[in-house]
Amino acid sequence: MNKKKMLSAYTIVFIFLLITAVLTWIVPQSIVVTNENGIQEVIYNAIFDSNGEIIRGVGAQPAGLWDIIMAPITGFQNAGAVSIAILMAGAFLGLINSVGALDAGIGGLLKRYTGTSLIAILMFVFAIFGSVFGFWEEIPAFSIVIVPLFVLAGYDVMTGLAVLFIGATAGNMASVVNPFSVGAAIGAIGNPELSLGSGMILRMVIFLALYLVGVVYVIKYANTVKKDKEKSIVAGIEVNTRVNEEGHELPELTKKRFWSIMVLVGIIILLILGYMPWYVIELDGGRTFQDVINTPINFIASIPILGSLSGFKHFTPFGDWYFGEFAFVFLLGSILIGLINRMPEEQFVKEFANGAKDLLGVILVLSVANGISVLMGSKSEGMSVTFVYWIQTALQGIPSWAFSIATVAAYVGIGFFLQSTSGVAGITMPILGAVTMALFQGSDIGAAGGQVMLISAFTVGINFMCGIYPGASTMGTLELFHVPYDRYLKFVLKILLPMLAIGCLIISASQFLGLI
């Protein structure tokens, strides 16, 4: 039987790059400026010149052959921080795999928990990550651990991917306390009556509902696949499980392997401490919980010799971490793995390099995907701003009863052109916040209540699109396991579309259910 030959992730992303290049010949560019009142506004059909001056009525700015070929190169430069983070994660996982620690640890988990429990627990963890700090770009690095875990448990590659992508999407769509989406939206609206706590009950209900829908569907699919591998969405495709096929017997959990796994656990704890937005938890005296969580580090840094030796004087505070710190902990973990297992220098360098090399394909896909953003434009100028302008203009004539559904649909459309939640919030919220105020001013929930609904419509809509859009993290992860994008899309739409509908329903009914 002939197997259908699928396009690679490189080709699919490059096709999207070409489509974007064609659009540059048709769609005019627009810019975002800050007016004298400190409010961001869009100037349609305009660009900035080399001196930062506004030039109006310039029309489309076509991208030619030079621009198309340069876009992935510029994309690679722009993705430098995430690229080094992914390479360091790959190097660490190459080392921990080479000593058999990961397989031994997975074996221990499989003995202690059933597959169903693992799915529910890990999906909840990744949903929390998404809801708290917008977990998404980190998925390629985490997938190398999570996907083999479920393959060894008797499931397929898609089960592991679903735990990551569906879990993260459920959390991102709710964004209970995510400062990069909810916080940015509140700041852009500029209503002093709103805070990060405004609408938190509504967002928690959305979180719980979307998580339950996602986990029930994934568990149902996983159990079906475990009974019959032919029912897998990737049946008949030569996927890369990233599991050693030489033998199915998992290695013994020795003392060295145990401490190697503890290094991985320590890395995960550090990442949670580093990425969690502790500053949103306010304490008495103008302090935040970020001050408390960083107290031990600051104390050590204050000790003259110890502070200098540890380097803690230059430590990035917990709560402010980004990809540089992500790469740091995995590099430190790699060194610890080498010391724990007393690896010879030659073996350490070989396994470190091989681990990083395994993720080089992901970096290349990231480069092309970021090239699309280069042609599309940024959150402050380009075609992306024009598309956002068109959509938000259309929303201004929507009646209040249909506002929630219309705004969710609008943000789904906006998410196709611009995935930066903080960027989209900055562009759209000043205008749509004012539209919402006019629509709901005389209602029972008032203007602030309507704006709470708007914020949830924003997080549900744009993060739904992030879940299906062939962006850098999605395509990079799929390439890692040789999963075709069309199979992924077919799978996730069956889950994400009901999640989108439920999110719309909850937001629309929230004013009648006392959730605002």
Side-chain angles (χ1 to χ4, degrees):
M1 183 176 70
N2 293 327
K3 292 181 180 179
K4 185 178 179 181
K5 185 70 174 177
M6 304 302 302
L7 295 176
S8 69
Y10 304 99
T11 304
I12 292 173
V13 176
F14 198 79
I15 288 172
F16 273 85
L17 180 71
L18 293 176
I19 293 171
T20 305
V22 171
L23 288 174
T24 64
W25 288 73
I26 305 169
V27 179
Q29 296 198 11
S30 300
I31 60 175
V32 178
V33 297
T34 303
N35 61 25
E36 60 272 12
N37 297 319
I39 303 298
Q40 287 186 322
E41 60 182 12
V42 175
I43 300 180
Y44 175 71
N45 192 12
I47 62 172
F48 292 114
D49 66 12
S50 57
N51 297 318
E53 299 295 327
I54 299 172
I55 304 177
R56 300 173 184 263
V58 293
Q61 302 293 302
L65 181 62
W66 174 273
D67 306 291
I68 294 170
I69 301 301
M70 277 297 295
I73 298 171
T74 306
F76 178 77
Q77 294 171 337
N78 294 344
V82 65
S83 296
I84 190 64
I86 290 173
L87 289 176
M88 288 302 98
F92 170 82
L93 292 167
L95 283 165
I96 200 171
N97 273 323
S98 71
V99 298
L102 201 56
D103 286 347
I106 288 171
L109 278 175
L110 295 179
K111 290 177 182 177
R112 185 164 184 176
Y113 298 104
T114 66
T116 298
S117 299
L118 277 178
I119 291 171
I121 292 169
L122 290 177
M123 281 189 69
F124 185 77
V125 169
F126 293 124
I128 290 291
F129 284 0
S131 199
V132 172
F133 59 82
F135 179 80
W136 195 259
E137 291 173 312
E138 301 84 359
I139 285 178
F142 277 87
S143 68
I144 307 172
V145 178
I146 298 302
V147 174
L149 172 67
F150 286 99
V151 172
L152 288 170
Y155 302 105
D156 65 345
V157 165
M158 190 58 76
T159 301
L161 293 175
V163 167
L164 280 161
F165 281 110
I166 303 301
T169 302
N172 286 332
M173 288 173 73
S175 288
V176 178
V177 290
N178 185 351
F180 309 114
S181 54
V182 175
I186 291 170
I189 289 174
N191 185 346
E193 295 182 22
L194 296 178
S195 70
L196 200 60
S198 302
M200 186 172 288
I201 294 176
L202 168 60
R203 296 193 295 274
M204 289 176 67
V205 171
I206 293 173
F207 175 88
L208 183 61
L210 299 190
Y211 167 74
L212 289 175
V213 170
V215 77
V216 167
Y217 189 97
V218 173
I219 288 174
K220 181 181 177 182
Y221 168 82
N223 289 337
T224 300
V225 169
K226 193 169 187 178
K227 293 176 183 176
D228 185 359
K229 293 295 188 293
E230 291 301 314
K231 293 185 178 179
S232 168
I233 193 75
V234 291
I237 296 175
E238 295 181 2
V239 296
N240 183 357
T241 63
R242 309 199 77 81
V243 172
N244 186 357
E245 298 294 343
E246 293 179 2
H248 297 286
E249 186 174 345
L250 296 172
E252 178 188 355
L253 185 59
T254 62
K255 184 178 290 187
K256 288 182 179 179
R257 287 171 179 155
F258 171 80
W259 286 112
S260 297
I261 293 171
M262 287 301 100
V263 171
L264 176 58
V265 172
I267 286 174
I268 294 172
I269 293 172
L270 281 174
L271 290 177
I272 294 172
L273 290 173
Y275 278 95
M276 194 76 74
W278 303 109
Y279 50 82
V280 303
I281 305 175
E282 298 180 356
L283 304 175
D284 295 334
R287 301 175 72 228
T288 69
F289 198 72
Q290 186 176 30
D291 300 318
V292 176
I293 205 74
N294 284 287
T295 298
I297 300 295
N298 294 332
F299 174 74
I300 295 173
S302 67
I303 301 174
I305 297 178
L306 188 58
S308 298
L309 286 174
S310 65
F312 281 178
K313 290 182 178 180
H314 311 291
F315 183 84
T316 304
F318 290 131
D320 292 338
W321 281 24
Y322 201 54
F323 285 111
E325 293 75 19
F326 186 100
F328 168 84
V329 294
F330 276 104
L331 177 57
L332 176 62
S334 297
I335 296 170
L336 292 176
I337 292 294
L339 293 174
I340 289 170
N341 293 276
R342 299 180 182 178
M343 298 177 71
E345 182 269 345
E346 183 178 355
Q347 181 188 358
F348 176 86
V349 172
K350 178 184 176 183
E351 298 298 343
F352 184 92
N354 285 340
K357 182 178 67 177
D358 285 344
L359 293 189
L360 184 59
V362 178
I363 305 302
L364 296 177
V365 172
L366 283 172
S367 302
V368 182
N370 280 307
I372 296 173
S373 299
V374 171
L375 295 182
M376 184 68 73
S378 67
K379 60 186 179 182
S380 59
E381 59 181 318
M383 285 195 307
S384 54
V385 178
T386 299
F387 285 116
V388 172
Y389 173 79
W390 285 341
I391 292 171
Q392 71 178 16
T393 300
L395 277 177
Q396 295 185 41
I398 296 295
S400 59
W401 61 267
F403 186 73
S404 297
I405 297 174
T407 48
V408 170
Y411 278 113
V412 168
I414 289 171
F416 186 82
F417 304 105
L418 187 62
Q419 287 80 50
S420 168
T421 52
S422 57
V424 170
I427 296 171
T428 63
M429 286 298 165
I431 294 176
L432 292 184
V435 172
T436 306
M437 180 174 287
L439 284 172
F440 290 91
Q441 189 71 57
S443 68
D444 293 337
I445 61 173
Q451 289 169 342
V452 164
M453 293 172 64
L454 170 66
I455 292 169
S456 286
F458 154 65
T459 61
V460 167
I462 196 166
N463 286 301
F464 165 82
M465 178 52 71
C466 287
I468 64 174
Y469 184 79
S473 296
T474 302
M475 299 307 292
T477 306
L478 296 183
E479 177 63 22
L480 196 61
F481 298 95
H482 299 174
V483 174
Y485 173 68
D486 66 326
R487 298 293 181 96
Y488 167 82
L489 188 62
K490 180 181 178 181
F491 176 83
V492 298
L493 279 176
K494 291 180 180 178
I495 311 175
L496 295 186
L497 283 174
M499 288 169 61
L500 179 68
I502 290 171
C504 286
L505 182 63
I506 293 173
I507 296 169
S508 299
S510 60
Q511 57 183 317
F512 309 111
L513 299 176
L515 299 178
I516 298 177

